[in-house]
Amino acid sequence: MSQIHIWEVKAKNTPLLKKKCNQCDSERFYCGEKFRMNAQKKNIDIWLIYRCVKCKNTYNMTLFSRTKTESLHKDLFTRFSENNKETAWQYAFSPETRRKNNIEADFESVEYEIKHTPIENILHSDTEVLTFEIKCPFDFGLKASAVLRTCLGLSAGKLNQLTELNAVLFREKALQKKHKIRNGDIVKVDAEKLKKVYCGNTGAIQ
């Protein structure tokens, strides 16, 4: 069985929200990574707090509304109470939460880094097909082509050459420009064709 190389995509920040501020001319809010909780008798409301990027005006994004307190898992309730950052990020990236609040995220505001083995080290192997698994716990609309260019060390033009040679499979299908990554996606690349494109058709690793 061939080795699976890992491409780990790590977001550096949560996405801004596209929302007009009613206190200034800004149209973006950032996640404050804190929760607001309000209990009334046996029910509880929980929000994730956002602030305007200019004037710090607040917007509370609803997570739970008039929910029975006992229906919340104790561990989750504790994380809300302690303003757990990881939990805040999970909801900030959640498409379901945004849909419920009828609000859109600005994914272009998300900065990220990708941890991967330099392709020069991998191309020396005798494997005919190079297999990569993408690890990306948060969905922020990142295109597969952007990940491939970074991890394979290719320009957009070189990647186009590779796809025209039918050398890249994404989820077992030919790579397309519209493809966006999900956690656990598998990418397969024809090693010989990659060497030719990567090394300017010389077939040798420099």
Side-chain angles (χ1 to χ4, degrees), residues 104-149:
E104 185 180 353
D106 178 8
F107 288 134
E108 292 185 1
S109 67
V110 179
E111 296 183 3
Y112 64 92
E113 61 182 2
I114 306 177
K115 292 186 177 181
H116 62 96
T117 302
I119 192 62
E120 295 89 343
N121 298 349
I122 300 174
L123 283 176
H124 286 287
S125 69
D126 296 327
T127 306
E128 293 182 0
V129 177
L130 301 174
T131 303
F132 306 91
E133 181 178 354
I134 298 174
K135 298 288 188 181
C136 184
F138 299 118
D139 180 6
F140 53 98
L142 182 59
K143 288 188 176 182
S145 58
V147 176
L148 266 74
R149 288 198 306 271

Side-chain angles (χ1 to χ4, degrees), residues 43-175:
N43 295 330
I44 190 169
D45 297 317
I46 303 175
W47 301 269
L48 179 58
I49 301 174
Y50 280 79
R51 292 188 179 277
C52 172
V53 297
K54 284 189 177 181
C55 70
K56 309 305 180 185
N57 181 34
T58 59
Y59 162 69
N60 296 326
M61 186 163 69
T62 302
L63 305 184
F64 293 92
S65 179
R66 297 181 180 179
T67 300
K68 296 293 183 183
T69 305
E70 61 268 20
S71 68
L72 289 177
H73 193 282
K74 184 178 180 180
D75 177 63
L76 180 59
F77 183 87
T78 300
R79 282 183 277 147
F80 285 140
S81 301
E82 296 177 349
N83 289 316
N84 180 269
K85 180 178 178 179
E86 182 180 349
T87 303
W89 276 50
Q90 289 173 352
Y91 282 100
F93 278 98
S94 168
E96 181 180 356
T97 300
R98 292 195 301 274
R99 282 195 297 269
K100 288 181 178 179
N101 286 270
N102 192 29
I103 199 162
E104 185 180 353
D106 178 8
F107 288 134
E108 292 185 1
S109 67
V110 179
E111 296 183 3
Y112 64 92
E113 61 182 2
I114 306 177
K115 292 186 177 181
H116 62 96
T117 302
I119 192 62
E120 295 89 343
N121 298 349
I122 300 174
L123 283 176
H124 286 287
S125 69
D126 296 327
T127 306
E128 293 182 0
V129 177
L130 301 174
T131 303
F132 306 91
E133 181 178 354
I134 298 174
K135 298 288 188 181
C136 184
F138 299 118
D139 180 6
F140 53 98
L142 182 59
K143 288 188 176 182
S145 58
V147 176
L148 266 74
R149 288 198 306 271
T150 298
C151 297
L152 297 181
L154 299 174
S155 64
K158 291 286 188 180
L159 181 58
N160 286 338
Q161 290 181 35
L162 201 61
T163 55
E164 288 171 0
L165 292 171
N166 295 318
V168 182
L169 290 180
F170 181 74
R171 301 176 194 154
E172 298 298 336
K173 296 182 180 180
L175 177 68

